[in-house]
């Protein structure tokens, strides 16, 4: 499972030794005019590391110029879809599991299996299950780049003022409710915990898996929102908002993101991903007032694991040069740069320690350890379609318009129709 969670980079070069090189036998892409590649990403926090990777890549490949294009996540996929329709995709771009099958099945990504074989890239440097996550129709489209897990971020200052011990690995759901009540102060607008509508970090997924429920069946034929265990997990989160009132309301979490509430001292605890540590370390309020602990456990311990991949567009103008850069993005050298930045947990085996050591203010080992009990991010061919139903219908439950049971039934029915269409 640990393996299954990490996601995409590009692999080490050369003979497949642990020390991936800057392009292997094909490094230094010849003479003549400089080849220009476009590389699209969505996280500005990772841009410095990407620029450093490009600098290192250029030492061996001075004739290849790479321009990084950063688009916020909320606009990234719309922009990418427009580019795909116009056959103007960037040469390389970030991909996530939720969207991979859609782009691969439509022939918009270039498979790299043959190049892996030709360059004798050592795939043992990556967890096989994660390689499989970016495999379609028997062909590999990317190497594991990084992985992320979810932890319980908490405000030490608010805990100290309330005289409450910090969260630890003994916490369960009951303890979360108990402490959230202690930390909630309506007069000051402070809530013990924030429970918004967000699939990976907050809404359901982590709690569903902890409660032994599921989001989508293994055969991708049906959603699991009709299952009692899944409904029970969603009801627990909904109760934090409507019954116990230890979480901001849906409207409050719409007016201000959960991160904004946390960074202003209005939410004492949130569940959030490993990638947030960069933002929290740079925020004036949170940089020395917060830390992270393992998620409270339900019937079992679980967290969602996810990751990114660097894919090559099927119609890339310079496919060979794009492959060289893709391969370097997957090297140990590139993984070390990512780890040292603290922005992500690299997938390349043996490179996670620098990530943990990159910021001593937070217990980042929590995220690495979480991979041991993590569950893969649930996906299908059209993940985003049924995920939108999750948001649309559970928002109504969070607003108190319908019950959790009604919302779950509506998500299940609408989502299963999408899954049925996928199989046609």
């Amino acid at each position: 499972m640990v393996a299954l969670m990490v996601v995409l980079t590009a692999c080490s070069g050369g003979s497949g030794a642990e020390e991936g090189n800057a392009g292997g036998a094909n490094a230094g892409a010849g003479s003549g005019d400089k080849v220009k590649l476009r590389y699209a990403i969505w996280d500005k926090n990772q841009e410095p590391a990407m620029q450093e990777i490009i600098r290192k890549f250029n030492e061996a490949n001075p004739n290849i110029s790479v321009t990084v294009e950063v688009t916020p996540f909320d606009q990234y996929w719309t922009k990418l879809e427009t580019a795909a329709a116009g056959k103007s995709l960037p040469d390389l771009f970030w991909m996530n599991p939720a969207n991979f099958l859609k782009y691969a099945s439509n022939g918009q990504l270039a498979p790299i299996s043959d190049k892996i074989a030709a360059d004798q890239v050592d795939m043992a440097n990556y967890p096989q299950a994660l390689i499989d996550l970016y495999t379609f129709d028997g062909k590999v489209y990317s190497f594991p780049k990084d992985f992320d897990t979810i932890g319980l971020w908490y405000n030490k200052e608010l805990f100290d003022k309330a005289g409450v011990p910090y969260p630890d690995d003994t916490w369960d759901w009951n303890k979360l409710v108990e402490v959230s009540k202690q930390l909630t102060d309506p007069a000051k607008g402070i809530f013990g915990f924030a429970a918004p509508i967000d699939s990976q970090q907050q809404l359901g997924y982590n709690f569903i898996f902890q409660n032994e429920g599921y989001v989508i069946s293994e055969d991708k034929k049906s959603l699991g929102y009709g299952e009692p265990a899944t409904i029970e997990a969603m009801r627990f989160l909904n109760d934090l908002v409507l019954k116990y009132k230890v979480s901001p309301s849906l409207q409050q979490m719409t007016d201000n993101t959960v991160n904004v509430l946390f960074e202003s001292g209005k939410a004492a605890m949130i569940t959030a991903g490993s990638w947030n540590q960069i933002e929290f370390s740079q925020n004036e309020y949170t940089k020395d007032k917060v830390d992270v602990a393992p998620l409270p456990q339900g019937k079992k311990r679980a967290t969602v694991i996810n990751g990114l991949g660097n894919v090559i567009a099927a119609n890339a103008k310079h496919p060979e040069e794009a492959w060289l850069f893709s391969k370097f993005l997957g090297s140990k050298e590139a993984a070390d740069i990512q780890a040292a930045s603290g922005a992500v947990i690299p997938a390349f085996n043996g490179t996670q320690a620098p990530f943990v050591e990159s910021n001593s203010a937070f217990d980042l080992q929590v995220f690495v350890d979480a991979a041991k009990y993590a569950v893969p991010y649930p996906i299908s061919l059209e993940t985003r379609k049924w995920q939108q139903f999750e948001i649309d219908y559970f928002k109504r439950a969070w607003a108190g318009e319908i019950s959790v049971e009604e919302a779950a039934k509506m998500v299940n029915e609408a989502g299963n129709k999408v899954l049925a269409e996928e199989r046609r």
Side-chain angles (χ1 to χ4, degrees):
M1 226 175 331
V2 174
L4 183 57
M5 317 296 179
V6 184
V7 144
L8 207 124
T9 298
C11 141
S12 71
S15 63
E18 277 242 322
E19 294 284 342
N21 63 39
N26 296 318
S31 59
D33 296 336
K34 180 172 288 190
V35 169
K36 297 181 180 180
L37 298 178
R38 295 168 56 213
Y39 177 39
I41 69 175
W42 63 67
D43 187 358
K44 63 181 178 59
N45 291 324
Q46 291 193 53
E47 184 178 9
M50 297 302 103
Q51 294 289 4
E52 176 62 15
I53 289 172
I54 291 170
R55 189 185 70 78
K56 286 290 186 181
F57 173 72
N58 284 149
E59 291 179 0
N61 300 275
N63 293 333
I64 303 176
S65 172
V66 181
T67 299
V68 178
E69 301 175 357
V70 184
T71 303
F73 186 82
D74 290 344
Q75 291 86 48
Y76 182 87
W77 298 107
T78 300
K79 182 177 180 180
L80 204 64
E81 287 179 3
T82 301
K87 300 185 184 301
S88 58
L89 284 169
D91 299 282
L92 300 97
F93 51 97
W94 280 3
M95 180 54 62
N96 64 9
N99 291 278
F100 166 68
L101 292 177
K102 175 181 178 180
Y103 282 84
S105 65
N106 286 332
Q108 294 164 331
L109 307 180
I112 58 176
S113 296
D114 291 346
K115 294 184 179 296
I116 289 172
D119 285 10
Q120 300 179 37
V121 175
D122 187 0
M123 300 304 289
N125 286 322
Y126 312 93
Q128 182 60 47
L130 301 179
I131 296 171
D132 293 344
L133 193 58
Y134 285 87
T135 299
F136 172 72
D137 200 20
K139 297 179 180 179
V140 176
Y141 284 77
S142 184
F143 306 94
K145 172 189 178 294
D146 57 47
F147 72 89
D148 51 64
T149 54
I150 311 300
L152 180 68
W153 288 90
Y154 61 94
N155 186 314
K156 295 185 294 183
E157 184 176 67
L158 294 179
F159 271 76
D160 291 342
K161 288 181 178 179
V164 178
Y166 299 153
D168 57 32
D169 61 4
T170 68
W171 274 37
D172 58 14
W173 290 9
N174 291 331
K175 188 66 173 181
L176 178 63
V177 174
E178 173 191 333
V179 174
S180 293
K181 290 178 178 178
Q182 292 175 293
L183 297 174
T184 297
D185 187 342
K188 295 181 180 179
I190 297 175
F191 294 89
F193 183 78
I197 307 293
D198 181 293
S199 58
Q200 185 180 0
Q201 295 188 89
Q202 288 98 13
L203 169 66
Y205 289 6
N206 299 288
F207 294 87
I208 288 171
F209 296 139
Q210 289 179 7
N211 205 44
E212 299 182 344
Y214 67 90
V215 176
I216 187 171
S217 61
E218 291 186 11
D219 61 10
K220 312 298 184 186
K221 291 183 178 180
S222 62
L223 296 185
Y225 286 100
E227 297 298 312
T230 302
I231 294 172
E232 185 178 38
M234 298 304 296
R235 188 187 303 116
F236 170 76
L237 290 172
N238 185 259
D239 282 347
L240 295 174
V241 179
L242 298 182
K243 179 179 179 180
Y244 301 119
K245 300 187 184 303
V246 297
S247 168
S249 67
L250 174 64
Q251 187 59 55
Q252 288 171 313
M253 291 184 288
T254 301
D255 293 341
N256 292 289
T257 66
V258 170
N259 277 17
V260 169
L261 293 170
F262 188 61
E263 291 168 347
S264 60
K266 298 301 182 182
M269 293 181 286
I270 63 172
T271 55
S274 48
W275 62 89
N276 285 285
Q277 74 97 1
I278 290 291
E279 178 178 338
F280 294 158
S281 68
Q282 295 175 349
N283 180 273
E284 283 300 314
Y285 180 83
T286 55
K287 67 180 182 181
D288 58 0
K289 292 183 177 65
V290 309
D291 204 349
V292 64
L295 290 177
Q297 60 183 320
K299 295 177 182 177
K300 66 177 184 179
R301 192 174 295 282
T303 180
V304 171
I305 193 165
N306 198 8
L308 307 185
N310 295 296
V311 294
I312 301 173
N315 62 346
K317 293 181 179 179
H318 306 286
E320 291 304 317
E321 289 79 5
W323 161 248
L324 285 179
F325 183 50
S326 173
K327 186 167 61 171
F328 185 71
L329 284 168
S331 68
K332 182 179 184 298
E333 188 171 7
D336 284 337
I337 292 172
Q338 291 185 93
S341 75
V344 296
I345 309 172
F348 198 101
N349 292 335
T351 62
Q352 289 81 34
F355 166 79
V356 175
E357 298 163 358
S358 67
N359 189 346
S360 59
F362 306 141
D363 184 10
L364 300 182
Q365 186 64 40
V366 164
F367 296 110
V368 177
D369 291 345
K372 300 172 185 176
Y373 51 81
V375 180
Y377 187 86
I379 62 171
S380 74
L381 188 61
E382 293 284 359
T383 308
R384 293 172 66 199
K385 286 186 178 180
W386 50 262
Q387 280 187 335
Q388 189 59 50
F389 294 135
E390 293 174 338
I391 294 172
D392 291 344
Y393 295 128
F394 280 114
K395 271 188 175 180
R396 295 180 60 187
W398 258 237
E401 297 174 3
I402 59 176
S403 69
V404 169
E405 289 78 5
E406 289 174 307
K409 181 180 179 180
M410 295 165 77
V411 172
N412 226 45
E413 291 179 350
N416 285 341
K417 289 181 180 179
V418 171
L419 297 180
E421 292 173 357
E422 289 181 0
R423 299 194 299 273
R424 293 177 181 173

